[in-house]
Amino acid sequence: MAVDATSIPPSGKKFTEIISRPGIIDAGAKEYKYTSGSRGTLGVTTEKGGGYISGRQAWWQLR
């Protein structure tokens, strides 16, 4: 994909079947996302975790 003549790699992960919303397990330095597919397969994606973060993680602005 190109934006303003700059190449940006696409993000996301391709699946060959319909998957459910992942179950996420935070293990500090790593984060594990478990999915189940429409064909009965199970998958796991390992990503860099956010570490231990306390306090507010997000907020919504109210009018």
Side-chain angles (χ1 to χ4, degrees):
M1 180 168 85
V3 176
D4 298 328
T6 303
S7 293
I8 299 173
S11 63
K13 185 173 181 177
K14 182 178 179 179
F15 292 93
T16 58
E17 59 188 322
I18 300 170
I19 63 164
S20 63
R21 182 182 305 169
I24 301 172
I25 298 177
D26 184 11
K30 290 188 179 181
E31 187 175 88
Y32 301 95
K33 297 181 180 178
Y34 293 90
T35 56
S36 60
S38 58
R39 297 182 197 153
T41 60
L42 295 175
V44 63
T45 301
T46 305
E47 296 180 339
K48 180 181 174 186
Y52 179 74
I53 301 172
S54 63
R56 183 178 301 214
Q57 304 300 310
W59 58 275
W60 292 89
Q61 183 172 342
L62 304 175
R63 291 185 184 233

